[in-house]
Amino acid sequence: LEVEGIVVNQFQPRAALPQQLLDELIAEGLPVLPVNLMSSVKMRESHQACKPLIFLDPRHKLSQQFQELHQLLESGE
């Protein structure tokens, strides 16, 4: 098992505590991936609709963040 990195999920950039925790992870030298997935009601809506978010709302910011994460992992960086 090889850990490529930590995915920060349900991230709220305007709140101080999540940013502080993220800074602490980075300071510890842990492999935190540079894409942070935000918290969104739209994700709950996609679960309720039994439809992946990317199909429910491909232009939503969280859909774009998932695509960025996928591209990052595919490129092997």
Side-chain angles (χ1 to χ4, degrees):
L1 178 64
E2 183 178 326
V3 176
E4 291 188 37
I6 298 169
V7 176
V8 178
N9 193 11
Q10 300 290 315
F11 187 70
Q12 298 173 344
R14 294 185 200 115
L17 182 59
Q19 186 61 54
Q20 178 185 347
L21 294 173
L22 179 58
D23 292 342
E24 289 175 13
L25 290 173
I26 293 169
E28 287 289 325
L30 296 171
V32 178
L33 296 175
V35 177
N36 298 329
L37 304 174
M38 64 185 230
S39 178
S40 176
V41 171
K42 201 62 140 169
M43 181 59 82
R44 289 183 213 107
E45 292 174 3
S46 77
H47 290 163
Q48 188 174 23
C50 296
K51 218 174 181 183
L53 181 61
I54 193 76
F55 296 130
L56 183 68
D57 192 348
R59 294 185 182 160
H60 190 273
K61 186 173 181 176
L62 185 55
S63 293
Q64 293 172 2
Q65 290 170 340
F66 273 111
Q67 289 176 344
E68 288 174 38
L69 180 61
H70 175 74
Q71 289 169 357
L72 176 74
L73 294 174
E74 283 293 306
S75 69
E77 291 181 25

